[in-house]
Amino acid sequence: MVRVEVIDNVLAPSPSRIIKIEKMTEIERLFHVKFLSRDLVERFVYRPGQFVEVGVTGVGEAPISICSWREEPEILELCIRRVGRVTNAIHRLKEGDLLWIRGPYGNGFPMEEMEGSNLLLIAGGLGVAPLRAVLQYALKNRERYGEITVFYGFKSYELMLFREEFLYLFREGDEQKLRLYLSYEDQNDEKCKRLAEERGERIVQGVVTKLFEKTEISPENTYAIICGPPIMYKFVVKELIKRNFKPWQIYLTLERRMRCGIGKCGHCIVGEGNSIKYVCKDGPVFTYWDALNTKGMI
Amino acid sequence: MMYLKLPREDFDAFFKNLQEYGKIYGPVKAGSSAYNFKEVTTLDEMDLSYNRTIVPPKKFFVGLKEKIFEFDEKRAEFREVIEDDPRKVIFGIHSCDIHALKLLDKIYLEDMADKYYLERRRNAILIGIDCHPDEHCFCKSMGTSYATDGFDLFLHEISDGFFVRVGSMKGHEIVAKNKGLFDPVGSEDIEEFKRSQKKRLDEFKLELNLSGLQDMLELAHNSQIWDEYAEKCLGCGTCNLVCPTCRCYDVIDFVNLDITTGERVRRWDSCMLRRHGLVAGGLNFRPTRVERLRNRFNCKGSLLEGMLNCVGCGRCTVYCPAGIDYVEVLRKIAGD
Amino acid sequence: MERPKIGVFSLTGCGGDQLMILNLEDVLLDLLSYFDIKDFQEISSFKEDSDLDIAFVEGSVSTKQDLRKLKEIRARCKMLIAIGNCAISGGIQAMKNGQMEILERMKRVYGIEEDIYGVLEPKGLSAYVKVDLEIPGCPIEKEETLRAITSILHGDMPDQFDYPVCVECKLKEYPCVLIEKNLPCLGPIIVAGCGARCPGLGLPCIGCRGPIKEEANAAAELEVLLSKGYDEEHIVNLMRIFCANFGEIKKITEIIRRRSGKGRQE
Amino acid sequence: MNRERRIEIAEITRVEGHGRVEVIIEGNRIRDVKMAIFEGPRFFEALVEGVRYDIVPDIMRRICGICTASHSLASIRAIEKAFNIIPTKQTELLRDLLIHGEVIESHALHLFMLALPDYLGFPDVIRMARKHPEMVKAALMLKKAGNLVHNIVSGREVHGMNDMIGGFSKVPNEEELLKIRKAMEESKRTAQLAVDLFVRAGTPKFVESENILMALDPGEKFGYIGDYVTISTGDYYPVEEYEKLTNEKSVDYSHARLSTYRGSPFMVGALSRLLLNGKKLSGTARELFKEQKDLLTHRNSLMNNLAQSIEIVHCVERCIEDIDALLSTGLVDEVVEIEPRARRGVGAVEAPRGVLYHDYTFDEDGRVVKANVITPTAQNMANIEKDLRIATQRLINQPDEKIKRVLEQIVRAYDPCISCSVHLMRIKS
């Protein structure tokens, strides 16, 4: 038998209180949850890009990335889209109700490794959630990073997540040496058009890759971090490679069915032949180099 | 390693004495040609010349379908469900299955140990037994036809009893406690053991060339072979459920009639099933049978966890209702 | 919590699915106490034409009257639950669909050619109206039904089986009757949830829970059974007992019909 | 001019299936009595055409959810007779056990949950349970004991599969049989309670009239399986001649085509069985039958409920007896060779509600050429209409509501199983 690291039941979730629910869109809500056990707060050390298994009794668990970053993780923010049984059940909960949480899981983004470099964050839709944690971390430790550029694509003004925050950064981000670019898909979106009138150099109608036309992106000492729907990766990566980004300068975070979150249940296994990985344990953050070597990853 | 001899006339007494280490489970005939590990109280309930059980002994460590938690919403409580007495003696486990458990140990015990697995694994005694290959066994090719560790005792049948290898401290304790039943091995016993091992190796008919297998699999990504077998494949999941190295499980919650309490159940899963790669919202990372079949062969042929993920037990071939032959597929992939 | 208003209805069928609910003897009274029963013809003379939160409907749509009744039920309920194979796919009475015209069946059995019943080719509810949940089986399984109901009372929709009987057969460690006994078992293409009852008794699965929708590889199953020496006609009859209205099975019927050169028996 | 008065029960409740009753009265004369059925036809006889014998019982047992084992056994017996298969003693005992279990389940459901609310004045068992929780719980346990037999012997409560041509796929083991035995021992009291309840409830006499009774001759002991039909007229026929007995004819007083014997309606079911075969009863059931002899008159079909309650007592004791017989010889796995023949076979059993016939003709490969099924409710229809007519006539001066209640009670007393009786029934909607 192999060496065993004994923790108490790793599959046992901890009760957390929903202290605040913010409606973001018709199908997305931001849940602020607070661990009930002080013990857990101390044990809960995480980095941006990690996720938790969020459970509702009688329904089950779903992997949700943490979309906030605080030194003291007493309160986690989880942006949850109502798409399946579990997330539907979560959406039915009210402030004061309990959620059952396990984690944090996954590798997260190598924030230390990227220190001293420029960051290019590219988010599409709900993919902005984990990148928001990266952004919060980087802004809190602003001096450790070079230029920060954010591309954020969404369908329409109404479907823009964390709207207030990002509009604030859109307008005032330069003060924190942050350049935020937005793209919206809906051609008839009047509110976005107004934003374009206000600051046309930072917003474009179309898919997120259109933002590459808006600004010069240099691969020099830069890491690109991407999160969005699976379809987005190929196009974004293509643009980055065109601009001479090396595969190991590009970070992606992946979605898969992750039942356990700890590399046991097998659902998130990806790859073929020589390279097979667990998305939950070896990822969900991978470099594009990993993706090139792991068939079926993106 | 310590070697001893268990004379045939002491076999029954030895078996009986094992009961103090927990309930004994051994291979019992289940159908006309199938076997299962079942609880036994006497030697003759078992058929120790069995070829393979339907489901592997993994079931003793990760239950086929088991309640892992009970919850109570009113009391905001999540209670783990762990059996009172996890002590078991698995009698007559084959070398391939021992190797498979070594892989499962890595999965379930290395970083973030699964408590259920750990409790049961710590409390189980594994008694290996020699087997004779049939036409579906290819453990010799996989390097798993002989277990050098991973057991407590291993029994090799010789003419007047068993040549016993003692593989662990627990095994040592057992033989120490049953001193009177064991003899030291004589030179004749050693010769017989050697002869029988040689003879056994010669019995293997099926072979699989492993050299470069991972590359062959990757290179076969677009091969017609997958389409061909996916057409035959019923997608029933049997290959996974009988596989000793498959580790996938699913988790389901149930609510009791009082609507405020319930249970969380875990059940063996299969990557051949549609839902395996499905995420909320309907996106499926392996939407077709071709992708699922290819994924399974890749997973089995991989070195995930740093070792081969197949032990050559032959179960997937024997129990495939569509008659898909695992070795045949891999041979085609490798161009043999 | 206000008790959900429910109705239990039956169209054309054997009544076995309602009966399975009544067969929940241990918990029946507790279970029923969660609901405000507005209509349950089989066990109650009490009836109220109110709106319903949930309607449980068993039986197939086999007559115009069934269809009228179904539409009325749909119009008055928030959630429609089809219970049993008949309500899901037309059930056993759909076995000859596409093979023997309904009026021909009438003639054979009743000796009359006039359509006195207003008969329709038997189909499941979803062929006509939106169905919110289907609980399969001929009959439905008590445990699955109970768990679906508790899940709904809990506020959720139940997790449904979408994998084959083979999975449960292995979880129960039953010897494979297809491999060991060469029996024509439909387990590989049929939805689990029964705990592999038939293989557990040494019998082949005859498919009473219906195929795994859009997933069952019926063509491969046909090949397997042919290789076991069963004749095409028997295999097709077998598959059609509970699955005649499903695309894959219809396709196979067609293939065999063409192969054997037989026309529709009309 | 006499004003036409119509009394209609739009949908009979607390019965299996969908039926309607309509009575048209002109002055003091009853012009028309109809019990219409609006259950969709399923054409089972057409479904099995061309189907090989081995899956015929699987199809045919699905005619009915309640008397599933009866259909199963009738179907199996028909096939065995056609192929000349003689079941073993063990098989016969297990079948006997199975059908007795079915009668318990079905009668308990009917008496306590469907019929009793009539006598105690509740719309249903749920409301009755609020007032009499202990009784209803006991009844449910009795029903469960019957279902336990279904579960263990046939594989499940409804549409079991373990009973097959030649015997049983998996023979129950001792432990399972003892479990049934225990449940039966515990059910004895409830079974007798049913008899008490129906004796005390008193049975109205508004349907009193002559009834022809018909039942299978169970042989030496009271039971539900047989090859001959015995009739209260003194006639006796092999089941193969069932068509003579169930002659379905258009009769002048009905729109339906009804089963009649020599032109007269007849009755099948518990009351017929008791009155024709009661002398073959033993044990407590025999005592009870003797005690209630005066009440159990062939002239009052409503007595069917009391007869059913005595049958439950018989069935509970019989299950125990069968199990003891099975255990005394030990249980063995049996394999029966089946060789199809191009022949006809008729199998009959007493379903809980009366005689049930299955009749098949096979070709040399064992495929069904022709099938026919006659259900007990179909046979009872003419008699039900006769009773409805008589009762209406007697109550003609009563208000509609009262008449309706009585008519529904009459229909219910027959414990009709409408969904499986669609056969041969012509509806008029």
Side-chain angles (χ1 to χ4, degrees):
Chain A
M1 275 167 77
V2 294
R3 187 182 51 83
V4 171
E5 173 199 353
V6 186
I7 323 172
D8 199 41
N9 199 331
V10 290
L11 296 175
S14 308
S16 321
R17 176 106 39 224
I18 300 173
I19 53 166
K20 193 171 160 196
I21 301 174
E22 291 177 64
K23 182 177 168 181
M24 312 198 75
T25 69
E26 278 307 309
I27 56 165
E28 280 130 344
R29 284 180 195 179
L30 184 67
F31 293 81
H32 300 250
V33 297
K34 188 177 171 181
F35 292 117
L36 293 187
S37 126
R38 187 68 221 166
D39 197 39
L40 192 77
V41 177
E42 271 149 36
R43 218 164 59 187
F44 199 94
V45 181
Y46 75 106
R47 57 169 77 229
Q50 287 196 287
F51 66 95
V52 284
E53 289 283 346
V54 182
V56 180
T57 47
V59 188
E61 296 180 315
I64 305 284
S65 65
I66 305 167
C67 68
S68 57
W69 195 82
R70 289 182 183 85
E71 205 98 36
E72 178 86 334
E74 202 167 352
I75 293 166
L76 293 183
E77 290 174 33
L78 306 167
C79 176
I80 300 176
R81 176 182 286 176
R82 179 162 55 82
V83 278
R85 287 179 70 237
V86 175
T87 48
N88 260 297
I90 295 173
H91 271 239
R92 272 199 305 275
L93 298 176
K94 293 181 288 295
E95 287 175 3
D97 285 348
L98 289 188
L99 273 177
W100 293 85
I101 289 182
R102 292 192 286 128
Y105 297 134
N107 54 0
F109 291 101
M111 298 310 293
E112 295 85 0
E113 200 185 304
M114 294 189 287
E115 283 179 13
S117 303
N118 303 320
L119 302 180
L120 168 62
L121 274 48
I122 305 174
L126 186 56
V128 77
L131 297 199
R132 178 175 175 259
V134 174
L135 196 58
Q136 287 186 351
Y137 180 96
L139 291 178
K140 214 155 259 169
N141 302 289
R142 188 66 194 88
E143 68 292 350
R144 297 189 203 165
Y145 300 93
E147 281 179 34
I148 300 178
T149 310
V150 181
F151 288 1
Y152 176 19
F154 42 84
K155 288 230 162 60
S156 67
Y157 187 87
E158 293 304 323
L159 295 178
M160 181 181 179
L161 299 170
F162 306 103
R163 196 163 51 224
E164 297 308 314
E165 280 174 48
F166 280 93
L167 285 181
Y168 173 78
L169 291 175
F170 177 70
R171 294 186 177 114
E172 318 287 340
D174 301 68
E175 281 173 23
Q176 299 182 63
K177 285 183 288 170
L178 176 117
R179 292 185 298 151
L180 176 68
Y181 294 84
L182 303 175
S183 71
Y184 63 100
E185 288 178 33
D186 183 0
Q187 294 177 16
N188 306 315
D189 193 327
E190 294 303 327
K191 285 180 179 154
C192 283
K193 281 184 192 166
R194 242 171 280 144
L195 286 177
E197 281 165 26
E198 188 186 318
R199 205 175 184 194
E201 72 280 13
R202 288 288 177 86
I203 182 165
V204 70
Q205 188 273 319
V207 291
V208 74
T209 43
K210 257 196 147 178
L211 291 172
F212 281 100
E213 296 163 14
K214 282 276 166 187
T215 178
E216 197 84 343
I217 296 289
S218 159
E220 215 52 51
N221 194 27
T222 302
Y223 284 100
I225 298 175
I226 317 171
C227 186
I231 182 91
M232 195 184 96
Y233 291 109
K234 274 181 197 152
F235 294 104
V236 172
V237 166
K238 208 171 124 194
E239 293 294 333
L240 292 169
I241 297 296
K242 230 198 290 183
R243 284 165 179 75
N244 282 319
F245 272 76
K246 299 283 176 265
W248 53 86
Q249 286 174 284
I250 304 171
Y251 283 99
L252 319 157
T253 170
L254 302 184
E255 181 193 12
R256 282 296 184 278
R257 183 182 185 88
M258 294 183 271
R259 265 285 185 255
C260 69
I262 51 176
K264 308 202 190 303
C265 82
H267 290 86
C268 68
I269 285 176
V270 61
E272 286 178 19
N274 293 293
S275 175
I276 291 212
K277 294 183 164 63
Y278 295 100
V279 171
C280 72
K281 194 169 85 171
D282 303 323
V285 173
F286 292 98
T287 64
Y288 181 54
W289 174 249
D290 294 322
L292 281 176
N293 285 291
T294 313
K295 284 203 172 67
M297 193 178 260
I298 58 168
Chain B
M1 186 155 310
M2 183 184 278
Y3 308 97
L4 288 166
K5 183 178 175 181
L6 177 63
R8 194 165 299 279
E9 59 270 24
D10 293 339
F11 194 36
D12 193 48
F14 167 68
F15 174 83
K16 289 216 171 79
N17 290 351
L18 284 173
Q19 282 169 352
E20 73 170 280
Y21 298 94
K23 284 181 179 160
I24 305 176
Y25 295 82
V28 173
K29 202 157 191 170
S32 56
S33 62
Y35 295 88
N36 281 325
F37 276 110
K38 276 197 181 147
E39 193 186 334
V40 286
T41 49
T42 58
L43 267 179
D44 53 353
E45 288 169 56
M46 294 188 283
D47 181 350
L48 290 173
S49 66
Y50 78 108
N51 45 17
R52 55 180 71 73
T53 52
I54 302 172
V55 301
K58 169 187 154 192
K59 71 170 180 177
F60 294 113
F61 309 108
V62 184
L64 290 148
K65 190 175 180 183
E66 60 181 354
K67 202 195 301 188
I68 53 173
F69 291 107
E70 284 173 347
F71 57 80
D72 185 329
E73 294 180 346
K74 275 194 187 141
R75 302 165 66 175
E77 205 173 68
F78 237 92
R79 234 183 3 265
E80 65 187 15
V81 181
I82 291 220
E83 62 208 289
D84 294 338
D85 183 10
R87 296 178 317 135
K88 289 184 186 78
V89 178
I90 322 291
F91 198 99
I93 184 169
H94 286 167
S95 167
C96 56
D97 285 343
I98 290 172
H99 279 270
L101 283 177
K102 283 160 76 174
L103 175 74
L104 295 182
D105 284 352
K106 281 171 166 280
I107 296 163
Y108 285 102
L109 299 181
E110 273 184 5
D111 54 70
M112 308 233 230
D114 182 288
K115 193 171 177 182
Y116 308 89
Y117 187 94
L118 177 65
E119 288 278 308
R120 293 164 186 164
R121 194 75 173 85
R122 271 186 180 155
N123 285 288
I125 307 261
L126 298 188
I127 307 217
I129 196 150
D130 245 350
C131 50
H132 293 276
D134 68 7
E135 69 271 30
H136 298 294
C137 294
F138 58 104
C139 54
K140 187 181 163 192
S141 301
M142 309 311 281
T144 55
S145 64
Y146 192 84
T148 49
D149 61 353
F151 54 84
D152 298 299
L153 296 173
F154 206 107
L155 311 180
H156 302 272
E157 192 163 14
I158 50 176
S159 49
D160 53 352
F162 292 92
F163 184 94
V164 181
R165 289 188 292 144
V166 183
S168 71
M169 277 301 297
K170 267 193 279 180
H172 185 259
E173 275 169 38
I174 295 171
V175 293
K177 231 179 167 180
N178 289 282
K179 262 200 308 264
L181 300 177
F182 291 89
D183 292 343
V185 286
S187 56
E188 249 172 67
D189 301 323
I190 296 171
E191 285 312 309
E192 204 187 338
F193 169 64
K194 286 201 301 206
R195 274 199 308 278
S196 74
Q197 287 309 307
K198 167 94 180 52
K199 183 170 162 282
R200 183 172 168 265
L201 275 187
D202 291 342
E203 287 168 7
F204 282 92
K205 290 181 200 77
L206 191 59
E207 276 185 40
L208 177 65
N209 176 18
L210 290 183
S211 128
L213 179 66
Q214 289 75 31
D215 284 326
M216 299 307 173
L217 279 163
E218 242 186 284
L219 289 167
H221 182 78
N222 292 317
S223 167
Q224 291 278 307
I225 295 167
W226 304 124
D227 300 308
E228 190 188 304
Y229 282 99
E231 203 171 301
K232 272 183 90 174
C233 171
L234 292 155
C236 69
T238 296
C239 48
N240 296 121
L241 289 152
V242 299
C243 177
T245 63
C246 273
R247 80 293 308 267
C248 290
Y249 66 76
D250 202 6
V251 179
I252 317 120
D253 276 21
F254 294 111
V255 185
N256 295 334
L257 190 58
D258 61 16
I259 317 298
T260 57
T261 66
E263 59 196 49
R264 183 160 288 175
V265 170
R266 112 165 127 184
R267 162 181 63 70
W268 290 13
D269 202 359
S270 153
C271 61
M272 289 308 302
L273 307 176
R274 171 173 46 186
R275 205 198 297 209
H276 195 272
L278 190 70
V279 292
L283 179 66
N284 197 330
F285 289 94
R286 288 182 292 276
T288 67
R289 210 155 42 237
V290 177
E291 284 147 323
R292 281 171 238 158
L293 189 83
R294 185 173 61 203
N295 172 69
R296 184 176 92 80
F297 276 88
N298 270 290
C299 190
K300 295 291 98 180
S302 78
L303 297 168
L304 195 61
E305 310 294 342
M307 61 194 279
L308 265 171
N309 275 234
C310 167
V311 293
C313 71
R315 285 184 178 94
C316 55
T317 301
V318 172
Y319 292 112
C320 176
I324 295 174
D325 185 322
Y326 179 80
V327 171
E328 179 191 291
V329 176
L330 285 185
R331 279 183 180 160
K332 282 194 186 172
I333 292 301
D336 284 356
Chain C
M1 186 180 75
E2 202 168 309
R3 291 184 306 159
K5 297 192 282 276
I6 64 158
V8 182
F9 305 92
S10 60
L11 306 177
T12 297
C14 73
D17 301 308
Q18 287 184 71
L19 193 63
M20 284 308 280
I21 295 176
L22 300 181
N23 284 345
L24 285 159
E25 290 104 356
D26 288 330
V27 297
L28 186 67
L29 293 177
D30 287 339
L31 181 69
L32 295 179
S33 72
Y34 279 108
F35 298 108
D36 180 3
I37 301 166
K38 298 294 188 190
D39 197 334
F40 194 162
Q41 170 263 338
E42 182 159 342
I43 62 158
S44 178
S45 301
F46 175 83
K47 203 168 177 163
E48 199 175 281
D49 286 329
S50 70
D51 282 349
L52 298 172
D53 294 300
I54 310 169
F56 295 87
V57 180
E58 81 164 326
S60 65
V61 178
S62 293
T63 61
K64 287 173 189 151
Q65 181 157 348
D66 283 339
L67 185 55
R68 263 199 308 278
K69 185 169 168 186
L70 173 64
K71 287 188 172 162
E72 279 166 23
I73 296 167
R74 178 69 267 190
R76 66 187 273 219
C77 72
K78 288 194 195 112
M79 186 192 289
L80 178 68
I81 303 179
I83 52 172
N85 187 290
C86 291
I88 292 174
S89 67
I92 201 159
Q93 53 268 27
M95 190 180 164
K96 296 267 176 180
N97 282 9
Q99 284 189 319
M100 189 193 282
E101 289 299 326
I102 196 92
L103 288 179
E104 174 63 22
R105 287 178 231 176
M106 182 88 101
K107 199 169 113 190
R108 303 253 175 123
V109 179
Y110 295 88
I112 38 174
E113 279 172 81
E114 162 205 8
D115 178 12
I116 49 167
Y117 293 97
V119 283
L120 298 169
E121 198 158 69
K123 284 189 183 138
L125 314 184
S126 63
Y128 299 101
V129 299
K130 178 176 168 271
V131 174
D132 300 288
L133 177 69
E134 295 184 332
I135 301 178
C138 181
I140 53 171
E141 289 290 331
K142 290 202 296 192
E143 187 176 291
E144 183 184 13
T145 307
L146 193 59
R147 288 191 156 162
I149 294 173
T150 54
S151 182
I152 290 167
L153 285 169
H154 189 257
D156 314 298
M157 286 305 269
D159 197 20
Q160 291 208 271
F161 292 95
D162 59 355
Y163 52 80
V165 173
C166 292
V167 171
E168 285 186 320
C169 200
K170 295 298 163 300
L171 292 177
K172 297 232 170 180
E173 303 179 71
Y174 293 145
C176 177
V177 294
L178 187 70
I179 290 168
E180 281 220 335
K181 297 165 114 184
N182 276 326
L183 292 174
C185 182
L186 300 185
I189 60 169
I190 299 299
V191 163
C194 54
R197 282 177 186 278
C198 293
L201 293 166
L203 291 162
C205 167
I206 59 168
C208 74
R209 293 176 58 79
I212 308 157
K213 285 182 192 168
E214 284 127 44
E215 196 58 37
N217 190 354
E221 174 78 18
L222 172 70
E223 291 308 317
V224 170
L225 298 187
L226 284 173
S227 75
K228 305 261 172 207
Y230 291 95
D231 67 79
E232 288 180 341
E233 199 184 336
H234 184 61
I235 300 167
V236 168
N237 275 338
L238 191 58
M239 287 188 182
R240 291 180 63 90
I241 300 180
F242 298 101
C243 313
N245 273 344
F246 285 93
E248 278 296 300
I249 310 288
K250 278 193 207 162
K251 236 186 278 170
I252 286 186
T253 314
E254 270 304 296
I255 294 168
I256 304 260
R257 190 180 63 83
R258 256 182 276 131
R259 257 197 238 172
S260 63
K262 276 187 201 163
R264 279 163 81 109
Q265 304 176 7
E266 275 161 32
Chain D
M1 261 291 284
N2 280 323
R3 204 170 53 86
E4 183 185 288
R5 179 176 166 202
R6 274 167 61 104
I7 298 175
E8 192 193 348
I9 303 167
E11 182 166 15
I12 308 162
T13 57
R14 285 185 276 134
V15 293
E16 211 303 294
H18 306 285
R20 192 166 65 89
V21 168
E22 190 184 56
V23 179
I24 299 171
I25 304 166
E26 270 176 6
N28 276 330
R29 197 182 70 88
I30 295 164
R31 200 185 70 198
D32 209 351
V33 171
K34 285 185 287 204
M35 172 158 167
I37 281 173
F38 46 95
E39 189 78 29
R42 288 180 289 160
F43 310 112
F44 272 93
E45 291 90 337
L47 297 185
V48 290
E49 261 183 45
V51 166
R52 215 175 70 178
Y53 68 90
D54 49 349
I55 52 176
V56 169
D58 289 323
I59 296 172
M60 295 311 244
R61 63 172 64 112
R62 285 177 164 80
I63 290 176
C64 183
I66 295 184
C67 25
T68 170
S70 305
H71 279 280
S72 183
L73 292 180
S75 177
I76 288 167
R77 282 172 54 79
I79 298 167
E80 288 178 349
K81 281 192 185 171
F83 299 167
N84 210 11
I85 297 164
I86 314 288
T88 64
K89 182 75 194 144
Q90 175 179 293
T91 294
E92 283 189 343
L93 279 168
L94 283 168
R95 286 178 182 170
D96 197 63
L97 175 62
L98 177 59
I99 200 147
H100 279 83
E102 172 148 300
V103 174
I104 295 171
E105 195 278 328
S106 179
H107 281 5
L109 173 72
H110 178 246
L111 289 180
F112 286 97
M113 302 176 76
L114 310 184
L116 197 58
D118 275 342
Y119 292 89
L120 303 184
F122 295 94
D124 58 38
V125 67
I126 306 158
R127 285 161 182 85
M128 190 167 83
R130 287 178 204 150
K131 198 80 187 269
H132 307 283
E134 292 314 312
M135 179 186 74
V136 174
K137 273 181 204 153
L140 282 167
M141 288 308 107
L142 175 66
K143 177 169 148 19
K144 191 184 168 190
N147 264 333
L148 189 64
V149 179
H150 271 150
N151 261 329
I152 287 172
V153 181
S154 80
R156 62 182 165 197
E157 292 96 335
V158 173
H159 306 332
M161 62 307 262
N162 193 35
D163 43 326
M164 50 192 273
I165 305 162
F168 290 82
S169 180
K170 180 180 166 286
V171 175
N173 59 36
E174 188 178 326
E175 191 188 331
E176 290 169 325
L177 291 180
L178 288 175
K179 204 170 148 195
I180 301 176
R181 199 183 187 287
K182 183 161 173 278
M184 292 301 162
E185 286 288 352
E186 288 163 1
S187 296
K188 280 181 170 170
R189 259 187 54 198
T190 314
Q192 292 188 37
L193 170 73
V195 180
D196 281 358
L197 280 170
F198 280 91
V199 170
R200 270 191 284 139
T203 304
K205 300 191 168 169
F206 36 64
V207 290
E208 286 215 334
S209 63
E210 278 302 304
N211 283 314
I212 297 175
L213 309 175
M214 206 183 273
L216 285 181
D217 179 355
E220 268 170 60
K221 294 194 288 182
F222 189 89
Y224 300 88
I225 299 175
D227 293 317
Y228 292 89
V229 181
T230 167
I231 307 169
S232 55
T233 55
D235 296 329
Y236 197 68
Y237 292 89
V239 293
E240 282 73 15
E241 292 175 33
Y242 73 92
E243 279 157 314
K244 287 185 190 159
L245 315 178
T246 60
N247 256 336
E248 26 123 11
K249 268 189 188 153
S250 294
V251 279
D252 57 356
Y253 55 80
S254 175
H255 290 260
R257 292 164 69 186
L258 301 170
S259 281
T260 54
Y261 174 61
R262 293 189 172 160
S264 301
F266 61 92
M267 189 181 180
V268 294
L271 185 63
S272 299
R273 289 189 291 254
L274 272 198
L275 294 178
L276 291 167
N277 303 322
K279 49 193 172 302
K280 297 180 177 178
L281 281 167
S282 54
T284 319
R286 187 186 174 85
E287 300 304 312
L288 290 166
F289 175 58
K290 276 197 215 154
E291 271 172 39
Q292 307 306 336
K293 208 152 188 162
D294 296 339
L295 273 178
L296 288 164
T297 153
H298 76 280
R299 287 178 51 81
N300 190 349
S301 27
L302 289 178
M303 281 303 161
N304 197 43
N305 286 337
L306 179 59
Q308 284 182 316
S309 67
I310 295 174
E311 278 199 328
I312 296 184
V313 175
H314 155 76
C315 290
V316 168
E317 289 185 344
R318 179 65 156 271
C319 285
I320 293 169
E321 204 181 300
D322 283 342
I323 289 167
D324 290 344
L326 281 160
L327 293 178
S328 71
T329 53
L331 298 148
V332 286
D333 287 325
E334 298 166 324
V335 185
V336 179
E337 291 296 319
I338 299 166
E339 226 179 288
R341 299 163 194 227
R343 270 182 50 192
R344 178 180 173 210
V346 178
V349 299
E350 282 281 349
R353 29 200 72 68
V355 198
L356 165 69
Y357 304 96
H358 279 231
D359 173 6
Y360 312 127
T361 308
F362 293 97
D363 67 13
E364 62 274 19
D365 299 324
R367 291 193 172 89
V368 175
V369 179
K370 195 171 176 299
N372 192 25
V373 173
I374 308 281
T375 64
T377 300
Q379 296 169 61
N380 273 334
M381 284 305 280
N383 218 57
I384 295 175
E385 288 194 354
K386 181 208 75 180
D387 281 354
L388 294 177
R389 174 177 292 266
I390 290 167
T392 312
Q393 190 69 62
R394 289 188 184 150
L395 300 167
I396 204 148
N397 297 321
Q398 302 279 344
D400 286 9
E401 278 315 306
K402 160 93 182 168
I403 298 179
K404 267 197 214 177
R405 249 196 332 272
V406 167
L407 298 187
E408 201 165 351
Q409 195 179 350
I410 293 169
V411 174
R412 216 172 274 133
Y414 280 84
D415 188 9
C417 189
I418 299 174
S419 47
C420 69
S421 68
V422 180
H423 183 77
L424 286 187
M425 214 52 74
R426 191 164 169 183
I427 59 154
K428 185 93 180 173
S429 48

